[in-house]
Amino acid sequence: MLDFTSNNAGDALSPRTTEATLADDRALLDAYSNAVIDVTERVGPAVVRVETGPKVRTPRERGGLGSGIVISPDGFVLTNSHVVGSSKEIRLRDTEGFVTDAHVLGVDPDTDLALLRADGARDLPYASLGDSKQLRRGQLVVAIGNPLGFESTVTAGVVSALGRSIRSVSGRTIEDVIQTDAALNPGNSGGPLVSSNSQVIGINTAIINGAQGICFAVASNTAQFVLSEIIRHGYVRRAFIGVAGQTAPIPRRHAVLAGVENKMGALLAQIEPDSPASKAGLLPGDVVIKLDGIDINGVDDLIRALDRDRIDRTLAMDVLRLGRLRAIDIHPIERKPAR
């Protein structure tokens, strides 16, 4: 007869081994819990409740509710533009119940972001914006906000995908959006999506009704760009070339053939008729890898490169077309501010 018994089998099921495995599991769970707790304690006090509309609400004027994140001690608050809307009365409530009025410094419906300033509030707890380009799929993230009016709610999940595109309230596409399975509900809008090192790497903006675990946040790098433009100009002044696109990887053989080092680029999906891009000869399927001497490693880079300093200038653009490098001159114009 064949003997399939093994001395190792008893060791694998021994109480000592089982206890060690359970101890390791507890250690992992404790590490996960401690990471979420640390993020909550460090960033939670900087999350505020954003209330819009009259203080005394009527059936005709009910107001709105969302979340926001304080990004400076003197009261700058990032939230969603759809949370603010056209409201002239805005109030902020912190975790300790303190309420202060606020006013809008600027909104950018194209990225669904708005910048508020708390009136008469100083030395507020605040959080730092991180670098969303460093994110990886599967990375732990924490969402903090006021879903359905339940204040200071914390949910945890992972980065499900990067480089998503969603439709903004203005009808334009928001590029380089973070997808996460951290649970979001109405009221979370404008709240922060935070990494395990307590940096804000996204502003929660949207959910898909009827879907579970599919939520979106505007990347922090996009938020930093919008923030700087609003502080300087009161709105986001942008150059316009008339394209729609997405971040896409560049096949290694194409990069070698063209002699470029880019691993990612901005893939053009649509060209608007009679636009600067159309007049320059750009075609759907072209991959932009450089604009005005700046390396373009995705749509986010292209959007930031098309700032006010490049309006009404002829710029050199490098694109990959069918794996071959082409040099194109393009003349961006100023885009009208989004209403």
Side-chain angles (χ1 to χ4, degrees), residues 303-333:
I303 291 174
R304 283 197 298 273
L306 292 171
D307 58 15
R308 69 182 185 94
D309 297 327
R310 293 179 173 84
I311 297 173
D312 289 329
R313 287 177 49 201
T314 300
L315 308 177
M317 175 183 285
D318 290 343
V319 302
L320 286 176
R321 180 178 296 171
L322 300 176
R324 297 185 179 275
L325 184 65
R326 292 177 178 266
I328 293 176
D329 290 333
I330 190 167
H331 190 86
I333 60 177

Side-chain angles (χ1 to χ4, degrees), residues 14-223:
S14 66
R16 180 177 302 176
T17 303
T18 303
E19 291 177 1
T21 302
L22 292 174
D24 291 341
D25 290 344
R26 284 194 293 268
L28 289 174
L29 288 173
D30 287 344
Y32 179 87
S33 298
N34 289 334
V36 176
I37 291 170
D38 183 61
V39 168
T40 303
E41 292 180 345
R42 295 175 64 179
V43 180
V47 179
V48 295
R49 173 181 173 137
V50 180
E51 300 176 357
T52 62
K55 294 181 180 179
V56 180
R57 300 184 178 182
T58 65
R60 303 180 68 179
E61 295 180 308
R62 292 181 294 179
L65 175 65
S67 305
I69 179 68
V70 182
I71 57 173
S72 70
D74 54 351
F76 284 113
V77 177
L78 269 176
T79 186
N80 287 151
S81 67
H82 79 260
V83 170
V84 175
S86 59
S87 179
K88 297 182 179 179
E89 295 185 48
I90 302 173
R91 294 169 301 282
L92 306 177
R93 181 190 299 270
D94 64 14
T95 55
E96 296 180 353
F98 178 76
V99 179
T100 181
D101 291 334
H103 62 277
V104 179
L105 294 180
V107 297
D108 185 39
D110 290 349
T111 55
D112 196 21
L113 293 173
L115 181 63
L116 310 179
R117 178 70 180 271
D119 298 336
R122 296 296 181 269
D123 297 327
L124 296 176
Y126 68 96
S128 300
L129 294 176
D131 184 2
S132 56
K133 275 192 174 181
Q134 303 300 320
L135 289 176
R136 296 293 182 268
R137 285 189 301 171
Q139 181 174 336
L140 170 67
V141 288
V142 177
I144 308 176
N146 306 293
L148 303 174
F150 294 100
E151 296 185 15
S152 305
T153 298
V154 178
T155 57
V158 298
V159 174
S160 303
L162 298 167
R164 295 297 197 210
S165 298
I166 62 173
R167 190 71 62 182
S168 70
V169 292
S170 69
R172 296 179 63 89
T173 301
I174 308 176
E175 308 289 352
D176 199 32
V177 173
I178 302 166
Q179 179 184 332
T180 177
D181 68 345
L184 302 178
N185 288 283
N188 271 115
S189 295
L193 188 69
V194 191
S195 65
S196 57
N197 60 359
S198 301
Q199 289 187 327
V200 177
I201 44 83
I203 302 297
N204 300 319
T205 187
I207 60 175
I208 297 180
N209 291 329
Q212 297 182 10
I214 303 180
C215 308
F216 300 99
V218 178
S220 60
N221 285 7
T222 301

Side-chain angles (χ1 to χ4, degrees), residues 249-263:
I250 298 174
R252 180 60 182 167
R253 58 189 177 87
H254 289 179
V256 172
L257 180 64
V260 299
E261 297 181 355
N262 298 55
K263 294 182 179 179

